[in-house]
Amino acid sequence: MTDEREITLTINGTEHTLEVEPRRLLVHAIREDLDMTGTHIGCDTGNCGACTILKDGEPIKSCLMFAAQADGAEILTVEGMEDLPEATDLHPLQEGFKAEHGLQCGYCTPGMLMAGKALLDENPDPDEETIRDAISGNLCRCTGYQNIVSSIEYAADELADRTATDGGAVTAEPGGGDGPGADDAEAVCGQSECCGGPDADLFERDYPTEDTDT
Amino acid sequence: MSSDHENAPEADTEYQHAEDDGPQPEKHCGHGRGGMGEEVSRKEDKRFITGRGNYVDDIKKPDMLHCEIVRSPHAHARVKDIDGSRAEAMDDVVAVLTAEDLLEHDLATMPTLMDDTQDVLVNEKVKFQSQEVAAVIATDRYTAKDGAEKVEVDYEVLDPVVDAQDALDAEAPLIRDELDDQEDNHIFDWETGDKDATEAVFDAADVTIEEDMNYQRLHPAPIETCGAVADWDPGMDKMTVHMTSQAPHAHRTLFSQVSGIPEHKVRIVSPDVGGGFGNKVPIYPGYVVAAAASFVLEQPVKWVEERSENIQSTGFARDYDMTGELAATEDGVIEGVKVDVLANHGAYNAAAQPTKFPAGFFNIFTGSYDIEAAYGSLTAAFTNTAPGGVAYRCSFRVTEAVYLIERLVNVLADELDVDPAEIRRRNFIPSDAFPYESATGWNYDSGDYEKALDKALEMADYEHYREEQQRRIENDADKLLGIGISSFTEIVGAGPGEQCDIAGIEMFDSADIRVNPTGNAVLRIGVQTQGQGHETTFAQIVAEELGMDVDNISVEHGDTDTEPYGLGTYGSRSTPVAGAATAVAARKVRDKAKSIAANELEAAEEDIEWDRESGEFHVAGAPDRSITITEIAAGAYMNHPGGEEPGLEATNYYDPPEMTYPFGSYIVVVEVDRETGEVDFEKFVAVDDCGNRINPMIIEGQIHGGLAQGIATAMLEEVTYDDNGNVTGGDFMNYLLPTANEIPNFDTGHTVTPSPHHPIGAKGVGESPTVGSPPAIVNAVVDAMNHAGVSHVEMPMTPDVVWAALDDAGLAHKPAQNVEFEFDGASGSADD
Amino acid sequence: MKSAPFEHHEPTTVDEAVSLLESLDGPTILSGGQSLVPMLRFRLANPDVVVDINGIDSLDYLHEEDGYLRIGALARHADVEDSSLIDETYGSFADVAPLVADPQVRNRGTVVGSVAQADPKGDWGSILLAHDGEVIARGPDGERTIPADEFFLLPYDTTLDDTELITEVRVPTPAPREGSAYHKLKRKTGDYAMAGVAARLVLDDDDVIETARLGMTAVDITNARATDAEAHLEGERPSSELFEEAGGLAAEESNPESDEHGDAGYKERMVDVLAQRALGDAAERAGLVKRRVSQ
């Protein structure tokens, strides 16, 4: 049946009915038929994970599945994160990626957010090794992963704080995580001994010049 | 290359005097407004974390067509016939384009960045596997692919040659037979330094060492591939191309030159770019085909590469086969360095270098060391492989140079039995010797190499690991420890324009600041972010210079219709060049604002002082009588002083007087499994010095990312070919990008040695980690085995490669090599 | 990469699937799709008809029944990873599941699909071989049971008939004194094995090895057993010396080819190393305690 067939996808809580050829990849249906371009494509082989979405709660690569196979499925994409119950303005994972500098070019980020969301749904308090493994199906060329791990840890802490306080309301400030500068109250500029360093005479003015470990 | 600091633009010097004359505030960092040194969270993040980014493949236009390129399965073949009729007969296939069609529009070839001429679609002969042969334009991408499958190409297969050495053989097949004067596969020879002086030093030296090393072919492999949406507007006679471009303005000029469309009728937009790393500096045939198709069909045409197309046909990096030598005294003082390189440039000379530097800045190979004599020679060859030689997160071959010298120094240390840290210390350019002119003519701006090394040694707990290493050797342990150091010097921030140009365009850069009547500002820059955070860091420079809140400054880039001309982002040049332009433009704004301040404060202009701490002008001796730029902005539009132009804006085109020389010391501790050859990272310390720091959070992110790429280089990645010219490492199943499981945590630290010639004392930083880390990693792995005579291991150091080195050195272990086990019943019953 | 067009059939019962396989021309079975979809996208596979078995709910199981651990055709790698059944008793299963590809692929890819794919670099074939596993296939003539030993023919080729559907793979539930393990060497997460060895040991009451099995990955044209090594182990008591001999024999029995994963000599040596490591773990999981006898 190479003819198009009608399928129904519930994406981020909204039901969409569309006609697809059997060979149409789920990622193309999402991006091109439904114009939700937050989910990306980075390879042809299922290695990069930029196309990761949650299908019925599980992270899968939407480039390794045909749209017709997802008929009737509940799908979450990055566009739906702000509307999740645990989100306020942004979802804690989104806040974490921003607070911990967990993204640079942003291309892998939606897939990383999905992988992180699936992990925290399963395991609200993952250790570093678990986080690294949970995102090991997602390639990032920019960050070296360290800050992505911190971003997910930030979200885990944030979600735990909310549960501990009142089960939902957001009280923690950005910076509740433990990454660089996140909870460093003195760090207006992020450096502990910021001013009056050497070499001031070289310049028009002395920008921070001291040596600080981060 | 040398030039003196007085070449700095006059305006810059002037402003420097103006500031020097003013009172110096006691504290400068931050001010809480998001200026220099503050960890401002990124302005660009929100759209990316919410799925609202706008990358090329996200662009959808009415009636947009899709382009699929038919590529050659052969590495070397004559195209005898192309029959597109079966494709053209398909419903929804709009056109099939071949070289013949492009010839009609004079678009069949395009210039490379090194002034070679590359077929857009193969005219007569295929020169590398996956080369572009035809294009199918259809209403959707599936049909375009179906059409491409139906294009029949009749090839006469020729013998290919993929290895550069083989290509220079007299018997080798001639790849570029379309070039009149080309009788072999030799492209050019290049040399640097003083050969005679270097030979003399070598002849007289106590000690010489030599090592062969290959810097394998890599691909930048950003997660977003290359692509374009070309849209010819026949009503306006204007071509708009949204494309994955690291250099939109340069691409506009080249597009105009190739297409004949006047430049003011070409608009290049580089929207959000999903990583570049040098991959998106050149122009590729796909862009040209999409534009040609749009022009012919008068509809928008989208072309987006698949991953395998990206790796197999777009610009590779490295592929240098190097032999390096050092001459030294018996005390380990290096007196001379020599290097000979064979460079594989692929089927076209399409390297991305400033025009006058065919080998890029490779002649920085004296590194961080004060070396009396240096000489380098290089031969470049055509092969039946993809064209390239791009600067993959690298300032034009500095990566190869740093690898060479940092490996050689270790080989010398081994030879003399001197600790690798100590031998570096004995040879560093002393901190009081800057500005320093190297043996190959570079003028280093500033540095304090020993300080960075000392800091790294301390952070790494170096002595402890040395002891642990010895203990393991004595115990014949199954896991050996290796400690590697790299004390690298980078060279970033090309221009100056006099020396550095791309296709004739001098490598300056630009900034344009417009302060609005309501006191906020827009900064437009000629460089283009691919994740480096320009929208934040450049706003911080303006915030610092104008005392404004960073939230009130937006940064625009990537659209040639609105941004000032710039040469783009690569070679870590954004901060050194466009960052300088931004600071200078901001100072021009401030200068103009001063006269308005005088008017508003009813004081003489010479009595108006700028207080950087408070971000205000005030009247000398009367700090209460003050005014901010935000307040002044209104005056510029509503109450501007007589004799002055209204408005508050300024533009600067900055031609740097000199490059900047960031540096650092990396220390890597690895554990090598003697049974399998697997390498684990025990510790990874990176101390960087990029001068004054704009946003420490972003700098650290850049370091992490570059270190991961350095690990990828050292451990995993290589674009490989078989003897028939088939790419065997051409997708993400075979070109191995590391995942979070392969990358360790990094300990980062920094020192600050400002650049003396940069308006804000900053240097570039994005590439230091990619440049500096591979030798540290290789040094560590070699160090683990060097007590048994191992002096070198080639990259990528996959387990089989490391195991072979272990085996050769007699270090390979079998399980239970030294310890025998029995297995008892849990009750101990079997242990009779 | 975009697939060529194909007809998509979605049977909901095994009978329906089998009759489709029989009636259609050159159908390809789609289960998890984690290997097949890339092949379709690269147009390395261009079937006119795809029979998608994901709708056959009756094949979605992983349980112990009648002396077997039974893995239905729709059980995903992640189902093995997450199953409470899979603990030390099924040591090799616990070892292998998290080593297959990456988390998203494990959520979709199936154990049976991986076996059916018969890629010599696949892990599950070695596990089945080491566990005396069986492949249950349904065809027009009913059901048949194919011992794992007789299943793999060539890379991507098995004794399965085109009209047959694998409904299940199964292994006998472990004996009381049984232990198994899988060791795999790979360059990075998501990469296929450079080499892998599954080991299973069954001990008698005197701690003598009654049954030994070794299944090897990526070192022959199919997943393969190391029968000489197995024979050498049986009737002996575990020791590092014995395992070293067995590792050497397994290496000799392997037939790796040089490729991007390393040269043949290296892979042979790794068979030796991985076999010894896997045997050591298997012995411990069978209830023995490792004791140093020298140095």
Side-chain angles (χ1 to χ4, degrees), chain C residues 213-251:
Chain C
R213 291 287 180 274
L214 290 168
M216 303 184 289
T217 306
V219 290
D220 211 326
I221 55 167
T222 65
N223 294 102
R225 271 176 61 184
T227 49
D228 292 351
E230 292 170 3
H232 187 77
L233 289 160
E234 289 177 359
E236 304 289 334
R237 281 193 182 172
S239 71
S240 57
E241 195 184 344
L242 178 70
F243 291 166
E244 192 178 349
E245 291 157 5
L249 287 169

Tab-separated table of all heavy atoms in Angstrom, chain C residues 213-251:
chain	number	residue	atom	x	y	z
C	213	ARG	N	30.256	-23.493	27.412
C	213	ARG	CA	29.903	-22.957	26.101
C	213	ARG	C	30.572	-21.592	25.921
C	213	ARG	O	30.609	-20.776	26.853
C	213	ARG	CB	28.390	-22.751	25.980
C	213	ARG	CG	27.574	-24.021	25.937
C	213	ARG	CD	27.721	-24.744	24.603
C	213	ARG	NE	26.935	-25.966	24.564
C	213	ARG	CZ	27.352	-27.153	25.017
C	213	ARG	NH1	28.560	-27.278	25.546
C	213	ARG	NH2	26.567	-28.207	24.929
C	214	LEU	N	31.048	-21.363	24.744
C	214	LEU	CA	31.616	-20.053	24.407
C	214	LEU	C	31.014	-19.603	23.079
C	214	LEU	O	31.101	-20.326	22.078
C	214	LEU	CB	33.139	-20.134	24.273
C	214	LEU	CG	33.936	-20.351	25.557
C	214	LEU	CD1	35.383	-20.696	25.234
C	214	LEU	CD2	33.876	-19.097	26.434
C	215	GLY	N	30.402	-18.437	23.070
C	215	GLY	CA	29.863	-17.868	21.830
C	215	GLY	C	30.666	-16.618	21.486
C	215	GLY	O	30.964	-15.807	22.360
C	216	MET	N	31.045	-16.497	20.223
C	216	MET	CA	31.946	-15.397	19.851
C	216	MET	C	31.282	-14.431	18.870
C	216	MET	O	30.567	-14.846	17.961
C	216	MET	CB	33.223	-15.964	19.224
C	216	MET	CG	33.947	-16.947	20.141
C	216	MET	SD	35.515	-17.527	19.433
C	216	MET	CE	34.938	-18.576	18.110
C	217	THR	N	31.581	-13.146	19.072
C	217	THR	CA	30.999	-12.075	18.269
C	217	THR	C	32.076	-11.406	17.410
C	217	THR	O	33.173	-11.132	17.912
C	217	THR	CB	30.400	-10.995	19.203
C	217	THR	OG1	29.478	-11.635	20.102
C	217	THR	CG2	29.662	-9.928	18.416
C	218	ALA	N	31.751	-11.172	16.165
C	218	ALA	CA	32.580	-10.330	15.281
C	218	ALA	C	33.912	-10.932	14.898
C	218	ALA	O	34.812	-10.228	14.462
C	218	ALA	CB	32.796	-8.936	15.902
C	219	VAL	N	34.063	-12.227	15.085
C	219	VAL	CA	35.355	-12.825	14.754
C	219	VAL	C	35.214	-14.009	13.804
C	219	VAL	O	36.121	-14.828	13.686
C	219	VAL	CB	36.123	-13.259	16.031
C	219	VAL	CG1	36.584	-12.032	16.782
C	219	VAL	CG2	35.292	-14.172	16.908
C	220	ASP	N	34.085	-14.083	13.128
C	220	ASP	CA	33.888	-15.143	12.138
C	220	ASP	C	32.773	-14.661	11.214
C	220	ASP	O	32.212	-13.581	11.417
C	220	ASP	CB	33.512	-16.471	12.825
C	220	ASP	CG	34.032	-17.669	12.026
C	220	ASP	OD1	34.066	-17.582	10.774
C	220	ASP	OD2	34.405	-18.676	12.655
C	221	ILE	N	32.433	-15.478	10.213
C	221	ILE	CA	31.391	-15.012	9.300
C	221	ILE	C	30.013	-15.023	9.943
C	221	ILE	O	29.077	-14.414	9.429
C	221	ILE	CB	31.361	-15.829	7.981
C	221	ILE	CG1	31.212	-17.317	8.282
C	221	ILE	CG2	32.602	-15.560	7.152
C	221	ILE	CD1	30.873	-18.115	7.040
C	222	THR	N	29.887	-15.723	11.052
C	222	THR	CA	28.654	-15.638	11.849
C	222	THR	C	29.075	-15.598	13.307
C	222	THR	O	30.253	-15.779	13.627
C	222	THR	CB	27.762	-16.884	11.653
C	222	THR	OG1	28.474	-18.028	12.173
C	222	THR	CG2	27.425	-17.111	10.185
C	223	ASN	N	28.132	-15.391	14.178
C	223	ASN	CA	28.398	-15.671	15.585
C	223	ASN	C	28.766	-17.154	15.632
C	223	ASN	O	28.164	-17.966	14.936
C	223	ASN	CB	27.133	-15.436	16.436
C	223	ASN	CG	26.723	-13.975	16.464
C	223	ASN	OD1	25.807	-13.583	15.766
C	223	ASN	ND2	27.414	-13.187	17.247
C	224	ALA	N	29.756	-17.466	16.432
C	224	ALA	CA	30.260	-18.842	16.347
C	224	ALA	C	30.630	-19.367	17.721
C	224	ALA	O	30.986	-18.608	18.624
C	224	ALA	CB	31.489	-18.877	15.435
C	225	ARG	N	30.530	-20.678	17.856
C	225	ARG	CA	30.971	-21.307	19.101
C	225	ARG	C	32.441	-21.680	19.010
C	225	ARG	O	32.978	-21.888	17.930
C	225	ARG	CB	30.153	-22.567	19.357
C	225	ARG	CG	28.892	-22.285	20.141
C	225	ARG	CD	28.041	-23.525	20.303
C	225	ARG	NE	28.727	-24.589	21.023
C	225	ARG	CZ	28.197	-25.792	21.220
C	225	ARG	NH1	26.981	-26.075	20.744
C	225	ARG	NH2	28.849	-26.722	21.886
C	226	ALA	N	33.070	-21.773	20.166
C	226	ALA	CA	34.468	-22.218	20.235
C	226	ALA	C	34.438	-23.620	20.826
C	226	ALA	O	34.610	-23.802	22.036
C	226	ALA	CB	35.284	-21.254	21.091
C	227	THR	N	34.195	-24.599	19.978
C	227	THR	CA	33.916	-25.941	20.500
C	227	THR	C	35.157	-26.640	21.058
C	227	THR	O	35.049	-27.420	21.996
C	227	THR	CB	33.268	-26.813	19.401
C	227	THR	OG1	34.047	-26.707	18.203
C	227	THR	CG2	31.851	-26.351	19.112
C	228	ASP	N	36.314	-26.369	20.485
C	228	ASP	CA	37.527	-26.983	21.045
C	228	ASP	C	37.767	-26.477	22.464
C	228	ASP	O	38.124	-27.251	23.364
C	228	ASP	CB	38.758	-26.631	20.187
C	228	ASP	CG	38.694	-27.288	18.816
C	228	ASP	OD1	37.804	-28.143	18.610
C	228	ASP	OD2	39.514	-26.919	17.949
C	229	ALA	N	37.581	-25.215	22.618
C	229	ALA	CA	37.775	-24.630	23.947
C	229	ALA	C	36.750	-25.201	24.920
C	229	ALA	O	37.077	-25.521	26.074
C	229	ALA	CB	37.651	-23.110	23.877
C	230	GLU	N	35.527	-25.329	24.447
C	230	GLU	CA	34.478	-25.886	25.307
C	230	GLU	C	34.872	-27.301	25.761
C	230	GLU	O	34.796	-27.640	26.948
C	230	GLU	CB	33.147	-25.942	24.541
C	230	GLU	CG	32.571	-24.563	24.235
C	230	GLU	CD	31.386	-24.640	23.266
C	230	GLU	OE1	30.992	-25.759	22.885
C	230	GLU	OE2	30.870	-23.568	22.891
C	231	ALA	N	35.324	-28.136	24.795
C	231	ALA	CA	35.685	-29.518	25.115
C	231	ALA	C	36.850	-29.565	26.105
C	231	ALA	O	36.887	-30.402	27.007
C	231	ALA	CB	36.049	-30.263	23.830
C	232	HIS	N	37.751	-28.597	25.938
C	232	HIS	CA	38.906	-28.563	26.836
C	232	HIS	C	38.493	-28.226	28.272
C	232	HIS	O	39.112	-28.679	29.236
C	232	HIS	CB	39.912	-27.524	26.321
C	232	HIS	CG	41.207	-27.530	27.073
C	232	HIS	ND1	42.176	-28.482	26.877
C	232	HIS	CD2	41.679	-26.701	28.044
C	232	HIS	CE1	43.192	-28.239	27.689
C	232	HIS	NE2	42.912	-27.161	28.407
C	233	LEU	N	37.450	-27.434	28.387
C	233	LEU	CA	37.000	-26.987	29.707
C	233	LEU	C	36.204	-28.073	30.423
C	233	LEU	O	36.280	-28.215	31.655
C	233	LEU	CB	36.118	-25.736	29.564
C	233	LEU	CG	36.818	-24.444	29.161
C	233	LEU	CD1	35.823	-23.439	28.581
C	233	LEU	CD2	37.523	-23.837	30.383
C	234	GLU	N	35.432	-28.815	29.683
C	234	GLU	CA	34.514	-29.770	30.309
C	234	GLU	C	35.306	-30.894	30.973
C	234	GLU	O	36.259	-31.428	30.406
C	234	GLU	CB	33.519	-30.299	29.274
C	234	GLU	CG	32.518	-29.209	28.885
C	234	GLU	CD	31.527	-29.628	27.798
C	234	GLU	OE1	31.610	-30.763	27.310
C	234	GLU	OE2	30.675	-28.792	27.465
C	235	GLY	N	34.887	-31.208	32.172
C	235	GLY	CA	35.567	-32.255	32.935
C	235	GLY	C	36.718	-31.726	33.775
C	235	GLY	O	37.389	-32.483	34.452
C	236	GLU	N	36.940	-30.402	33.720
C	236	GLU	CA	38.047	-29.823	34.498
C	236	GLU	C	37.509	-28.876	35.565
C	236	GLU	O	36.398	-28.386	35.477
C	236	GLU	CB	38.982	-29.029	33.572
C	236	GLU	CG	39.554	-29.806	32.407
C	236	GLU	CD	40.580	-30.834	32.834
C	236	GLU	OE1	41.217	-30.644	33.901
C	236	GLU	OE2	40.727	-31.847	32.119
C	237	ARG	N	38.376	-28.607	36.522
C	237	ARG	CA	38.023	-27.593	37.521
C	237	ARG	C	38.505	-26.234	37.062
C	237	ARG	O	39.622	-26.115	36.567
C	237	ARG	CB	38.683	-27.923	38.842
C	237	ARG	CG	37.940	-28.992	39.572
C	237	ARG	CD	38.432	-29.050	40.980
C	237	ARG	NE	37.725	-30.125	41.656
C	237	ARG	CZ	38.036	-30.539	42.875
C	237	ARG	NH1	39.035	-29.979	43.513
C	237	ARG	NH2	37.347	-31.505	43.439
C	238	PRO	N	37.696	-25.221	37.297
C	238	PRO	CA	38.094	-23.874	36.861
C	238	PRO	C	39.393	-23.410	37.520
C	238	PRO	O	39.579	-23.612	38.718
C	238	PRO	CB	36.936	-22.982	37.316
C	238	PRO	CG	35.775	-23.913	37.447
C	238	PRO	CD	36.339	-25.237	37.867
C	239	SER	N	40.251	-22.844	36.715
C	239	SER	CA	41.445	-22.165	37.235
C	239	SER	C	41.887	-21.178	36.170
C	239	SER	O	41.495	-21.301	35.007
C	239	SER	CB	42.579	-23.170	37.494
C	239	SER	OG	43.089	-23.635	36.263
C	240	SER	N	42.695	-20.256	36.585
C	240	SER	CA	43.150	-19.285	35.588
C	240	SER	C	43.950	-19.987	34.503
C	240	SER	O	43.920	-19.612	33.342
C	240	SER	CB	43.975	-18.172	36.236
C	240	SER	OG	45.061	-18.703	36.923
C	241	GLU	N	44.644	-21.050	34.897
C	241	GLU	CA	45.436	-21.790	33.922
C	241	GLU	C	44.526	-22.456	32.881
C	241	GLU	O	44.776	-22.387	31.677
C	241	GLU	CB	46.267	-22.845	34.666
C	241	GLU	CG	47.372	-23.422	33.823
C	241	GLU	CD	48.100	-24.543	34.574
C	241	GLU	OE1	47.941	-24.657	35.819
C	241	GLU	OE2	48.801	-25.296	33.911
C	242	LEU	N	43.458	-23.057	33.391
C	242	LEU	CA	42.517	-23.710	32.478
C	242	LEU	C	41.880	-22.691	31.536
C	242	LEU	O	41.752	-22.925	30.332
C	242	LEU	CB	41.424	-24.424	33.281
C	242	LEU	CG	40.345	-25.123	32.454
C	242	LEU	CD1	40.926	-26.349	31.746
C	242	LEU	CD2	39.150	-25.518	33.318
C	243	PHE	N	41.513	-21.561	32.114
C	243	PHE	CA	40.855	-20.537	31.297
C	243	PHE	C	41.828	-19.964	30.265
C	243	PHE	O	41.436	-19.599	29.164
C	243	PHE	CB	40.279	-19.428	32.175
C	243	PHE	CG	39.104	-19.874	33.006
C	243	PHE	CD1	38.641	-19.085	34.059
C	243	PHE	CD2	38.456	-21.081	32.740
C	243	PHE	CE1	37.555	-19.484	34.823
C	243	PHE	CE2	37.377	-21.489	33.517
C	243	PHE	CZ	36.931	-20.691	34.564
C	244	GLU	N	43.085	-19.893	30.652
C	244	GLU	CA	44.071	-19.387	29.707
C	244	GLU	C	44.200	-20.343	28.520
C	244	GLU	O	44.257	-19.915	27.363
C	244	GLU	CB	45.422	-19.230	30.414
C	244	GLU	CG	46.401	-18.439	29.589
C	244	GLU	CD	47.729	-18.237	30.313
C	244	GLU	OE1	47.830	-18.521	31.518
C	244	GLU	OE2	48.676	-17.793	29.640
C	245	GLU	N	44.192	-21.617	28.832
C	245	GLU	CA	44.251	-22.603	27.748
C	245	GLU	C	43.012	-22.503	26.859
C	245	GLU	O	43.086	-22.529	25.632
C	245	GLU	CB	44.376	-24.027	28.327
C	245	GLU	CG	45.729	-24.285	28.986
C	245	GLU	CD	45.683	-25.420	30.015
C	245	GLU	OE1	44.625	-26.075	30.165
C	245	GLU	OE2	46.712	-25.630	30.678
C	246	ALA	N	41.874	-22.359	27.523
C	246	ALA	CA	40.616	-22.281	26.760
C	246	ALA	C	40.590	-21.020	25.902
C	246	ALA	O	40.163	-21.043	24.739
C	246	ALA	CB	39.423	-22.295	27.719
C	247	GLY	N	41.075	-19.914	26.486
C	247	GLY	CA	41.118	-18.660	25.722
C	247	GLY	C	41.973	-18.812	24.483
C	247	GLY	O	41.606	-18.369	23.383
C	248	GLY	N	43.100	-19.458	24.653
C	248	GLY	CA	43.994	-19.685	23.522
C	248	GLY	C	43.322	-20.530	22.448
C	248	GLY	O	43.439	-20.242	21.248
C	249	LEU	N	42.605	-21.563	22.887
C	249	LEU	CA	41.920	-22.420	21.919
C	249	LEU	C	40.817	-21.656	21.187
C	249	LEU	O	40.651	-21.789	19.970
C	249	LEU	CB	41.325	-23.642	22.633
C	249	LEU	CG	42.362	-24.690	23.080
C	249	LEU	CD1	41.724	-25.716	24.009
C	249	LEU	CD2	42.968	-25.388	21.850
C	250	ALA	N	40.087	-20.860	21.942
C	250	ALA	CA	39.001	-20.079	21.323
C	250	ALA	C	39.585	-19.133	20.276
C	250	ALA	O	39.044	-18.971	19.175
C	250	ALA	CB	38.232	-19.306	22.381
C	251	ALA	N	40.708	-18.505	20.626
C	251	ALA	CA	41.351	-17.593	19.672
C	251	ALA	C	41.727	-18.340	18.406
C	251	ALA	O	41.530	-17.840	17.293
C	251	ALA	CB	42.576	-16.959	20.319
